[in-house]
Amino acid sequence: MVYADRIEQLRAMMRNRGWDVVIVTGSDPHGSEYPAERWKCVQWLTGFTGEAGDVVVTLDHAGLWTDTRYFIQAVQQLEGTGVELHKMRVPEQVPIPEWIRQKFSGESEVYIALDGLCVGAGFAREIKSGLNADGAACHLVSVPNLLDAIWADRPGIPQTPVFTVDPGESRIERLGRLRDWIAEKGVDYVLLSSLDDIAWTLNVRASDIEYNPLVISFLLVGPETAEWFVLKDDVEDEGTEKTFAELREDGIFLRYYEEIEIAMSEIDGSVAAADLNYHLSSLIGPSRLVETASPVQAWKAVKNPIEIGGFRDCHLQDGIAMVRFLHWLDRCMQNDRAVSEWDAAVHLGQLRAEIPGYQGDSFETISAYGPSAALPHYITPKSGAPMLEPHGLYLCDSGGQYLNGTTDITRTWALGPCTRLEMEDYTLVLRGHIDLASAVFPLGTPGCRLDALAREPLWSHQRNFGHGTGHGVGWFLGVHEGPQDVRQNLNGVGFEAGMVVSDEPGIYREGLFGVRHENLLLCVSAGSNDFGSWLRFEPLTLCPFDTAPLLVDMLTPAERDWLNDYHALVYDRLRPYLDESDADWLRGRTIPV
Amino acid sequence: MVYADRIEQLRAMMRNRGWDVVIVTGSDPHGSEYPAERWKCVQWLTGFTGEAGDVVVTLDHAGLWTDTRYFIQAVQQLEGTGVELHKMRVPEQVPIPEWIRQKFSGESEVYIALDGLCVGAGFAREIKSGLNADGAACHLVSVPNLLDAIWADRPGIPQTPVFTVDPGESRIERLGRLRDWIAEKGVDYVLLSSLDDIAWTLNVRASDIEYNPLVISFLLVGPETAEWFVLKDDVEDEGTEKTFAELREDGIFLRYYEEIEIAMSEIDGSVAAADLNYHLSSLIGPSRLVETASPVQAWKAVKNPIEIGGFRDCHLQDGIAMVRFLHWLDRCMQNDRAVSEWDAAVHLGQLRAEIPGYQGDSFETISAYGPSAALPHYITPKSGAPMLEPHGLYLCDSGGQYLNGTTDITRTWALGPCTRLEMEDYTLVLRGHIDLASAVFPLGTPGCRLDALAREPLWSHQRNFGHGTGHGVGWFLGVHEGPQDVRQNLNGVGFEAGMVVSDEPGIYREGLFGVRHENLLLCVSAGSNDFGSWLRFEPLTLCPFDTAPLLVDMLTPAERDWLNDYHALVYDRLRPYLDESDADWLRGRTIPV
């Protein structure tokens, strides 16, 4: 058994070096939501492919810590590995620091090894203080690339071609914002380690991480200097060389990626950084490190007019592809064509690939028919995917990365007759989508205070969904970005004009079906009066909702007006770019209800 | 000028003793929302009567810190006193600790005197650490009853008759809950200083504070012991003696109020306490004090069946009084009788006083006609109160304390023809009230996530109100209690069945009118299903809303149904207790819209 063998190899290494514990995380040195292959260490060691999971290995135990979303998957994937599942986000959870404390209770010394580059500084400190409080001397041994010794064919650091984008604000101006911020904070440097912060600041993109147009690197900015730790061995790409030359002209000093470690150990002055990994935090040291939130997060959340224009343009193109896709789907069902979930995803991908500026999908398409859609994070299998049938609901959640923006859209489509329950759920979720999309609210209202608007139609029927209602979206960057969101968690970040957020309520019926309706919304000013300043949303996404499974009588007059207005807008905007057949279909699909 | 003189007397004392600063707060040793006369120190020193205000006096400056609610009032009341207004809850605010830091920047030593009994420990620490960070040695001089030296006729500690209540859970049981909690926390004692915590635990009440049926005291509970610091000089009241005897029989040791200081300095063991004052915190000392939230807050928020039954009964009685009041008001307007805001408040008070078990009002009645109602915290003047006129809106916010519960109700009543704006606002606020009252939501949802439901009808017309939508209500205790609420602030305390909360959206038009609609709601279970456990609200308050100024077409069908159902309930419940004339009036006032 390959994974059991790997764990035993790791234990051999532990015995040689005198380590009691090794912690292996699913993160990369940049705290990325989706790490590159090189950093999928948990998957390599245990076979577990979920997006959230950490592993702890001792000489007599190996455990995977993951949350509710992945329990079923973890049980399946861990079978035969000897790795035990430790459940998180359940009332009886025992987090890793507490588990280690209990496990080594009474010991005088504990040696814990970890790849400090891939562990957050806060997490490491928590482990250490837990053991220390219990009276044990805890030695954290930070070994960069710890698994290299036993992972023979480990992938290298990705190095895809780097290119520039023009969001209407130059990198000189964006570095200027950082320098003003440094001055205000009274620090000597700011170190950016989050990859989207760096891409935004320098107006650079690459494809180092699947679905995320990012360049694996660090950026250190001082009052006069900017050092970009980006160079890797053997880059021979003309475009990249051109990009690098352009950055050098802008006064940015390019250094090798690995030099960040030396640079941080030798740095002279105070360094502000957000969510830095344990290894770099330790190199900088507590006397020089100023832990603080990244200002770039808030800046990049508010899109400028050029970025907003790009968002509108790419949503128009993305909407055309979606209309062609849904029209094709309708034809397939009418003609009894055999189409699997995978076939549908592939066809949609091909339509998007024809769009000028298309750079790839913004995440893995969820193409889910019937019971498949009851899993909000369903992964469509390439082989053996379920076939679509001409009845019930098909859910497709997908998006594209374009040079002028990022899209993310979910439509739930009736492939034929639906049950009463399907239609009720479909309608209630659409009511929730509309109620959030049509909200007017005071400037600075946080999304958690709006979340109930999207849930109330479901709540009133004692139905609900377990995921967030909305996330921020990057401009040709990660499809999930903060700091604003619309969730149950009490996040106090308030909405401002220029923010982009998804609106995606849903409902999931195990073994039966799932419904989700998602548009991206742009937050815009709705003016000011005696009561203050007001905001509202404008839909960026342009694609009809299926009115066939809609129980129109359940809509309020205002919800019905919103839907009819939206469908009129979709038709008006897309019509000029459609051929006769698609246009006819769209006219039929946007008739007022 | 009396206040300027008092401040000069204080300065003389400061010069004698070498103090640089004196801080005078509007609080009492128990952190009460409404202090007794003895502790209205800010009012005595400056003449300012607002409910929130602290004073800082230096040798060359005197300032009052208060928030937006009291700016106009403060400017008027401080005229000629030499006291300057420092504005809080505005973007440019400089809180007291920061102001002191700036004022004494560069000094090596600063002596700050305060009545440590009336200052929160956190606030005192903040002042100290601010100055220390700036390099000054800060000496906090805690002088209990600091103003006694210059306040000749200062009122004593109130000592009103103490009596017991029976909420269906004995004080032995409630002390048992505290003892279980102590054991769980691993501490030796818990010290309760919040007066409603103590009244709830011991099932005792008195009238030591206006509108609040509380006994000024401290309660110290250990695994086997309970010491109640309640005795004051010269209590000669038979009922009180009987109550005290009953408590002694239950094993509670009664001590003199002032002995809390000696007891805390001599205590042997760790003491858990919440929001303790600076003086007692210092006496206990950091090695023995365990600062923690009070468990009683959460316990007393969830009413038991006996308490809920009492709430229902007293709301029935209170509703009868309200119906008689509103009927009287209608008659007065029809007969052109001269009635002032004050007259109306007095009449309502007389009707409540006839209710068996009435113990007084639960707060000062807001009786506000036309422009008066545009001030959410309007105080009706006894002399020169505006006269009611047979047109426009009259707002009355009032409540009673009864042996079986506490009420709080606001009705906005049309005294005759209304303007279109009055009717629109009236209707939108009522829609918000109904939308919250009819919400169904998951168990544990915090009120801040429901708040938008009450505001959305106003928001959609770009209107809003600046106060919270709802507060918890005590059972024959304070009319405002936590920990749950329905507000814009992100308070994470979730709703449970048995909680009582007010539902009181409003709107305020300066110089014109104000609207507020308030019922108390009981949170009840709405069952469980695949999606979890559900809660909803039941109105406790029984009194019609005025349908005359209602624009019925603006209501959704569901809102209209709620209103008609509520009015049918009000009529059915109250009818048996009304005379023919009031019953006829109520029938007319509860006709379905």
Side-chain angles (χ1 to χ4, degrees), chain B residues 3 36 85 156 248 251 254 270 275 295 307 326 500 536 566-567 593:
Chain B
Y3 301 112
L85 170 62
R248 288 193 181 100
L254 268 54
S270 56
D275 304 320
E307 290 164 336
L326 292 169
V500 173
R536 59 182 181 80
Y566 176 68
H567 276 165
V593 294

Side-chain angles (χ1 to χ4, degrees), chain A residues 133-451:
Chain A
D134 219 45
C138 173
H139 304 278
L140 283 186
V141 189
S142 175
V143 185
N145 307 311
L146 185 146
L147 290 187
D148 276 6
I150 55 175
W151 185 349
D153 50 352
R154 182 174 186 181
I157 297 167
Q159 39 183 327
T160 58
V162 182
F163 56 98
T164 59
V165 289
D166 181 7
E169 184 180 14
S170 71
R171 65 180 63 91
I172 302 286
E173 290 169 302
R174 290 185 168 180
L175 287 169
R177 291 213 222 182
L178 273 173
R179 289 179 176 134
D180 290 346
W181 181 83
I182 290 173
E184 213 175 274
K185 275 266 163 191
V187 293
D188 298 310
Y189 297 96
V190 58
L191 174 64
L192 300 184
S193 64
S194 167
L195 300 182
D196 57 351
D197 281 8
I198 296 167
W200 182 89
T201 305
L202 296 180
N203 291 338
V204 291
R205 300 292 189 274
S207 313
D208 283 356
I209 296 186
E210 213 178 357
Y211 307 118
N212 291 268
L214 303 170
V215 193
I216 290 173
S217 58
F218 293 95
L219 179 63
L220 180 73
V221 180
E224 311 277 332
T225 60
E227 294 176 66
W228 190 25
F229 298 83
V230 67
L231 301 178
K232 290 136 204 168
D233 301 328
D234 312 320
V235 193
E236 283 185 32
D237 172 74
E238 234 176 80
T240 304
E241 284 308 328
K242 201 169 141 267
T243 303
F244 285 175
E246 195 187 299
L247 271 96
R248 288 192 180 101
E249 264 170 49
D250 281 341
I252 293 151
F253 183 51
L254 268 54
R255 301 183 60 176
Y256 274 89
Y257 179 71
E258 290 81 1
E259 289 180 11
I260 188 68
E261 296 184 41
I262 294 168
M264 288 306 103
S265 36
E266 293 178 348
I267 197 160
D268 187 18
S270 56
V271 183
D275 304 320
L276 200 55
N277 66 55
Y278 173 66
H279 194 68
L280 292 184
S281 290
S282 305
L283 292 177
I284 298 171
S287 66
R288 294 183 298 184
L289 181 62
V290 178
E291 289 180 288
T292 175
S294 158
V296 178
Q297 294 285 314
W299 295 337
K300 84 179 149 57
V302 177
K303 274 62 180 172
N304 68 31
I306 304 287
E307 292 165 335
I308 291 170
F311 259 116
R312 288 195 202 282
D313 291 344
C314 74
H315 276 85
L316 178 74
Q317 295 294 328
D318 201 80
I320 295 166
M322 280 299 297
V323 162
R324 293 170 65 196
F325 170 66
L326 292 169
H327 183 197
W328 169 84
L329 193 67
D330 271 6
R331 282 198 313 268
C332 290
M333 290 302 110
Q334 278 152 18
N335 302 332
D336 286 329
R337 232 184 97 185
V339 178
S340 74
E341 292 174 347
W342 181 260
D343 299 335
V346 168
H347 187 71
L348 175 56
Q350 286 163 347
L351 290 167
R352 276 213 173 87
E354 293 172 21
I355 296 174
Y358 173 79
Q359 301 290 302
D361 287 351
S362 58
F363 59 96
E364 190 171 347
T365 296
I366 298 174
S367 172
Y369 174 67
S372 302
L375 304 168
H377 296 274
Y378 180 65
I379 292 171
T380 312
K382 187 167 181 176
S383 68
M387 300 302 291
L388 309 193
E389 293 172 30
H391 60 87
L393 297 173
Y394 165 72
L395 183 155
C396 185
D397 189 351
S398 67
Q401 291 287 8
Y402 304 96
L403 290 175
N404 53 357
T406 302
T407 67
D408 184 359
I409 173 173
T410 309
R411 286 295 179 271
T412 304
W413 214 252
L415 302 188
C418 290
T419 64
R420 172 78 196 182
L421 186 66
E422 285 170 329
M423 294 173 80
E424 267 185 19
D425 279 353
Y426 184 96
T427 304
L428 291 173
V429 174
L430 191 61
R431 288 189 57 205
H433 175 90
I434 293 172
D435 291 0
L436 177 59
S438 55
V440 177
F441 51 92
L443 175 67
T445 303
C448 61
R449 299 196 59 232
L450 301 178
D451 181 65

Side-chain angles (χ1 to χ4, degrees), chain B residues 35-48:
Chain B
E37 286 301 322
R38 173 177 178 73
W39 287 294
K40 291 185 177 170
C41 296
V42 167
Q43 186 177 333
W44 180 81
L45 190 65
T46 69
F48 173 70

Side-chain angles (χ1 to χ4, degrees), chain A residues 440-442 448-453 455-456 459-460 462-464 488 490-492 507 509 526 529 531 534, chain B residues 440-442 448-453 455-456 459 462-464 488 490-492 507 509 526 529 531 534:
Chain A
V440 177
F441 51 92
C448 61
R449 299 196 59 232
L450 301 178
D451 181 65
L453 300 179
R455 292 179 194 266
E456 192 277 332
W459 283 357
S460 64
Q462 304 203 351
R463 304 177 195 181
N464 203 0
Q488 314 201 51
L490 302 188
N491 168 359
I507 192 167
R509 300 277 187 179
N529 62 12
F531 295 96
W534 297 91
Chain B
V440 176
F441 51 93
C448 61
R449 298 196 59 233
L450 301 177
D451 181 66
L453 300 178
R455 293 179 194 266
E456 192 277 332
W459 283 357
Q462 305 203 350
R463 304 176 195 180
N464 204 0
Q488 315 200 50
L490 303 187
N491 168 359
I507 192 166
R509 300 277 187 179
N529 62 12
F531 296 97
W534 297 90

Side-chain angles (χ1 to χ4, degrees), chain B residues 497-563:
Chain B
M499 285 180 167
V500 173
V501 72
S502 71
D503 173 5
E504 48 180 313
I507 192 166
Y508 307 93
R509 300 277 187 179
E510 203 184 327
L512 293 174
F513 63 89
V515 175
R516 188 159 66 249
H517 301 302
E518 178 187 25
N519 276 356
L520 297 194
L521 307 176
L522 173 70
C523 187
V524 299
S525 167
S528 295
N529 62 12
D530 286 352
F531 296 97
S533 297
W534 297 90
L535 297 175
R536 59 182 181 80
F537 292 120
E538 265 180 31
L540 288 169
T541 307
L542 295 168
C543 177
F545 293 98
D546 192 355
T547 53
L550 196 63
L551 296 171
V552 178
D553 290 346
M554 289 179 78
L555 302 183
T556 66
E559 288 162 352
R560 204 154 141 170
D561 288 348
W562 186 94
L563 185 63

Side-chain angles (χ1 to χ4, degrees), chain A residues 71-100:
Chain A
F71 289 168
I72 296 167
Q73 178 182 344
V75 168
Q76 292 168 353
Q77 295 183 327
L78 295 180
E79 210 185 318
T81 61
V83 179
E84 282 179 33
L85 171 62
H86 293 248
K87 294 183 177 183
M88 293 295 284
R89 290 202 211 164
V90 293
E92 66 277 17
Q93 66 175 27
V94 181
I96 289 176
E98 174 59 17
W99 186 87
I100 292 179

Side-chain angles (χ1 to χ4, degrees), chain A residues 103-122:
Chain A
K103 171 90 181 168
F104 294 92
S105 175
E107 301 287 331
S108 61
E109 283 199 312
V110 185
Y111 283 82
I112 301 177
L114 40 76
D115 181 344
L117 288 169
C118 299
V119 171

